[in-house]
């Protein structure tokens, strides 16, 4: 086959390389003054939105924490009550968790220096997997380096060219990125809308494998997936179900997650969790049947081509798991605080959406006012997380607040007092 260059083809050019070069230079002379687009052109001046926020004194991100005691932190010299952390059970300060990490560091060093697939697996990792599987009620579990990589590796490993993955529109970005990395088709349904989910399931051809993936607790709204209805639809249409319990482990179901909360552990095929929240560490895991976990272990690229979690992180997660089992009062206290704060915010007139958990959004629905509220709270001694577009639609901007089992009653009353003052100043509440 010939490659055409105008009316001349490569197979008609002279065999002599020098002559070929002359002919090609005549056909395609260099364009004088031509300059290709510089890839970094878009970066000139930095990131425009961030620059504008910095100049206005409203930039909330990448602020270094100089001291962190769990419920309180020091940032920019200010002592703040922390209600922007995912340290739900307060285990970053637990002596058993800290000592386990120190002991593992002294025994194994700071890194395994390899992937789980080759030289990066310790007996510590395997023990953690065994204990996690038992904790969430599954046959087997597999530990990844981060929660993000857990979702990337699991979904992309399972979803092939002829398969379909169906996700909630409010699912975490790591779920969506896992779908993008797969070779299958992705469909999305309206948030917690079972009619929308059924329409999506009904369109999947019988020849396709199908996987529904939902957050157990949604990280921005603090609401819970209606798992009984989702399970019923998955069974009706022959779909497998994966639940991302990143914000549910340590919170719901006696700490065991959303499936346990609803008594549906046997009906959920895959349970995912992360160590960066209730486990006070870093890493993630997927749990399910032994065959499925074995398949993921040998096909998940984010596991095979990434270094394993350091020994200290594995030991800290294992110790945190033991604390969850030994100190259930922490989980009870966390949910008591969540229920109290939801009730008090509603009484004050704040819009907290459909929150059912210790994640409580303060919906503001306007970007500039959201940043103003964040700054006013920060200066008054309360740390929150402003959530802006594109993380949420512009009409859904909010302050994400979340609570810790070790928060004191005095801290919560102080937070409510400051929230009320700022809310009234900005016209968020009467």
């Amino acid at each position: 086959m010939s490659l055409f260059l105008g009316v001349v083809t490569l197979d008609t050019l002279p065999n002599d390389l020098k002559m070929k070069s002359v002919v090609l230079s005549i056909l395609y002379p260099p364009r004088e003054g031509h300059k290709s687009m510089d890839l970094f052109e878009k970066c000139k001046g930095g990131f425009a939105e961030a620059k504008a926020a910095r100049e206005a004194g409203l930039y909330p991100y990448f602020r270094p924490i100089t001291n962190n005691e769990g419920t309180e932190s020091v940032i920019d010299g200010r002592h703040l009550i922390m209600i922007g952390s995912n340290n739900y059970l307060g285990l970053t300060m637990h002596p058993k968790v800290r000592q386990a990490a120190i002991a593992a560091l002294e025994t194994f060093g700071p890194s395994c220096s390899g992937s789980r697939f080759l030289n990066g697996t310790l007996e510590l990792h395997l023990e953690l997997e065994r204990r996690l599987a038992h904790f969430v009620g599954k046959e087997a579990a597999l530990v990844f380096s981060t929660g993000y990589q857990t979702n990337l590796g699991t979904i992309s490993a399972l979803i092939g060219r002829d398969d379909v993955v169906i996700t909630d529109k409010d699912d975490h970005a790591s779920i969506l990125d896992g779908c993008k990395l797969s070779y299958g088709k992705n469909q999305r349904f309206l948030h917690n809308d079972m009619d929308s989910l059924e329409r999506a399931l009904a369109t999947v051809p019988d020849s396709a494998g199908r996987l529904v993936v939902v957050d157990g607790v949604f990280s921005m709204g603090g609401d819970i997936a209606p798992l009984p209805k989702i399970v019923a639809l998955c069974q009706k249409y022959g779909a497998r179900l994966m639940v991302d319990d990143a914000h549910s482990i340590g919170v719901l179901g006696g700490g065991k997650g959303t499936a346990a909360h609803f008594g549906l552990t046997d009906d959920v095929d895959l349970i995912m969790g992360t160590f960066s929240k209730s486990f006070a560490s870093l890493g993630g895991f997927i749990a399910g049947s032994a065959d499925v976990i074995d398949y993921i272990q040998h096909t998940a690229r984010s596991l095979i081509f990434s270094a394993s979690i350091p020994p200290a992180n594995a030991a800290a997660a294992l110790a945190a798991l033991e604390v969850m089992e030994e100190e259930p009062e922490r989980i009870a206290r966390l949910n008591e605080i969540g229920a109290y704060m939801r009730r008090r915010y509603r009484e004050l007139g704040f819009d907290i959406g459909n929150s059912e958990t210790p994640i409580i959004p303060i919906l503001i629905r306007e970007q500039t006012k959201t940043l103003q509220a964040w700054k006013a709270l920060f200066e008054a001694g309360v740390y929150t997380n402003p959530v802006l577009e594109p993380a949420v639609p512009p009409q859904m901007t909010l302050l994400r607040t979340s609570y810790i089992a070790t928060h004191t009653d005095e801290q919560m009353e102080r937070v409510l007092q400051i929230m009320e003052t700022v809310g009234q100043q900005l016209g968020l509440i009467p």
Side-chain angles (χ1 to χ4, degrees), residues 24 73 86 104 116 118 156 159 162 170 180 206 261 263 267 300 307 375 396:
L24 287 171
S73 297
N86 295 320
R116 290 291 310 278
L118 297 174
S156 61
I159 301 300
D162 299 323
D170 282 8
K180 291 176 184 177
D206 292 339
H261 173 73
D267 297 298
K375 184 177 182 181
M396 291 296 291

Side-chain angles (χ1 to χ4, degrees), residues 24-90:
L24 287 171
S25 66
I26 294 170
L27 289 169
Y28 293 96
R31 289 177 285 173
E32 292 186 11
H34 172 70
K35 185 180 180 182
S36 62
M37 169 60 80
D38 181 2
L39 177 66
F40 290 168
E41 184 68 27
K42 63 172 98 41
C43 307
K44 284 187 176 178
F47 190 66
E49 290 86 350
K51 184 178 181 181
R54 289 190 189 101
E55 291 173 350
L58 294 173
Y59 185 71
Y61 307 121
F62 300 102
R63 289 179 175 261
I65 297 174
T66 54
N67 188 29
N68 183 14
E69 294 300 325
T71 61
E72 294 188 6
S73 297
V74 177
I75 303 174
D76 293 349
R78 287 187 171 85
H79 289 261
L80 304 163
I81 299 175
M82 172 59 71
I83 59 169
S85 169
N86 295 320
N87 181 24
Y88 297 123
L89 297 179

Side-chain angles (χ1 to χ4, degrees), residues 132-148:
L132 285 167
H134 180 265
F135 184 67
V136 300
K138 292 299 177 186
E139 286 184 341
L142 179 64
V143 167
F144 286 72
S145 302
T146 66
Y148 185 92

Side-chain angles (χ1 to χ4, degrees), residues 6 9 30 40 59 73 101 128 133 156 160 188 201 212 282 284 293 322 325 330 348 357 361-363 383 388 421-422:
T9 62
F40 290 168
Y59 185 71
S73 297
L128 178 57
S156 61
R188 302 178 73 183
L201 284 165
V212 174
L282 181 69
I293 297 304
E322 292 172 354
E325 295 173 322
R330 283 181 178 262
L348 289 171
T357 65
I362 306 296
L363 289 159
Y383 185 95
L388 312 172
T421 300
V422 171

